[in-house]
Amino acid sequence: MLDITIYEQEGRLVAALNGDLDNAASSKAERSLVPVFERTDSDIVIDLTKLNYISSSGLRIVLKVFKHVRCNGKKAILKGMKQDIEEVFFLSGFLQLFEIED
């Protein structure tokens, strides 16, 4: 199960993911992230503090967010990764694409 909360903080749009971003949750995640794809004027923070699991389809969605933000000249920031989630991003080569915040 995955919940996504989107809010603004310090001039940035934050998408906080809570639960598992697996194959079953990927379509819901894309629908929930529509406000992120509608924004072109701010950096995007993906808060992974409460993310327990991410699958390859989840990584694809996060990469899609990165490409959208990058095309608009803004930053994509990953925040609060647990060690196992960070390892998935590292092994996939995606970690180097994002700015990282604790």
Side-chain angles (χ1 to χ4, degrees):
M1 176 124 185
L2 178 73
D3 290 315
I4 298 176
T5 305
I6 298 178
Y7 58 94
E8 290 196 43
Q9 183 178 43
E10 299 173 4
R12 306 184 302 183
L13 192 63
V14 178
L17 283 59
N18 183 356
D20 297 336
L21 183 47
D22 55 15
N23 294 339
S26 62
S27 5
K28 175 186 176 186
E30 284 198 76
R31 286 191 307 273
S32 297
L33 290 170
V34 165
V36 171
F37 295 112
E38 292 175 344
R39 290 292 290 266
T40 59
D41 62 340
S42 67
D43 295 337
I44 305 295
V45 177
I46 303 173
D47 186 347
L48 304 174
T49 305
K50 295 182 180 179
L51 186 69
N52 299 318
Y53 174 81
I54 188 165
S55 68
S56 58
S57 60
L59 286 171
R60 179 186 56 78
I61 292 167
V62 174
L63 182 61
K64 189 175 175 180
V65 170
F66 168 78
K67 287 179 178 180
H68 168 76
V69 173
R70 188 72 172 251
C71 284
N72 290 303
K74 300 297 179 182
K75 296 178 191 172
I77 301 153
L78 298 178
K79 177 181 175 182
M81 280 187 288
K82 296 175 185 170
Q83 185 176 354
D84 54 338
I85 300 293
E86 184 173 357
E87 188 173 318
V88 171
F89 275 88
F90 175 76
L91 292 173
S92 66
F94 289 3
L95 193 61
Q96 65 192 17
L97 300 176
F98 295 86
E99 289 193 19
I100 309 297
E101 287 183 3
D102 290 330

